[in-house]
Amino acid sequence: QVQLVESGGGLVQSGGSLRLSCGASGFTLDDYAMGWFRQAPGKERERVAAISGRDGARDGTIYYEDSVLGRFTISRDNAKNTLYLQMRNLKPEDTAVYYCARGRYFLRLWSGSADYWGQGTQVTVSS
């Protein structure tokens, strides 16, 4: 049974940092593309970052949405079967529910087509 469980969200001041974790079970993390998405109140879900696995793309390819480039870092620990999102220099506009997602193919995941989603973790950045 595939499960994705996010943790690490919380309330932080503008300029602060948080690290989100996504524990994966029921599959081997690096066999798939993995990504982080977010949804703010009243807005559509948007992509944040994604990393390819042994899914056909060059292993370890990473994409970031322009709004987080240079501030966020996606990584994975295959031994722990866990995906991470290190977030630095957080801004109020980063406030959202953050979701971890699995995709069969990297570019499809980057376009928003995931086969499994986590339940989300709330990140709130105060000004």
Side-chain angles (χ1 to χ4, degrees):
Q1 180 182 357
V2 172
Q3 281 193 315
L4 300 170
V5 180
E6 301 96 334
S7 61
L11 174 64
V12 63
Q13 287 189 332
S14 182
S17 299
L18 282 173
R19 189 178 79 157
L20 304 183
S21 299
C22 173
S25 59
F27 69 101
T28 301
L29 192 70
D30 61 350
D31 280 347
Y32 292 85
M34 298 296 299
W36 288 97
F37 294 76
R38 67 186 181 186
Q39 187 167 21
K43 296 187 177 181
E44 292 187 355
R45 185 170 56 204
E46 64 174 358
R47 61 195 181 193
V48 174
I51 183 169
S52 69
R54 291 191 292 258
D55 57 89
R58 183 181 299 178
D59 194 4
T61 297
I62 291 175
Y63 282 9
Y64 294 101
E65 190 62 19
D66 287 347
S67 60
V68 307
L69 188 63
R71 301 188 298 121
F72 290 11
T73 302
I74 187 172
S75 63
R76 62 174 186 240
D77 185 329
N78 293 332
K80 295 182 178 179
N81 225 39
T82 300
L83 180 74
Y84 300 101
L85 184 69
Q86 177 68 54
M87 305 186 293
R88 297 182 176 88
N89 190 22
L90 283 160
K91 304 175 181 181
E93 51 264 41
D94 294 319
T95 294
V97 177
Y98 284 70
Y99 298 91
C100 169
R102 188 189 87 166
R104 184 62 185 92
Y105 299 106
F106 178 73
L107 290 180
R108 288 186 190 175
L109 178 64
W110 189 238
S111 71
S113 179
D115 56 1
Y116 285 95
W117 296 88
Q119 84 289 350
T121 186
Q122 176 71 46
V123 172
T124 303
V125 184
S126 62
S127 56

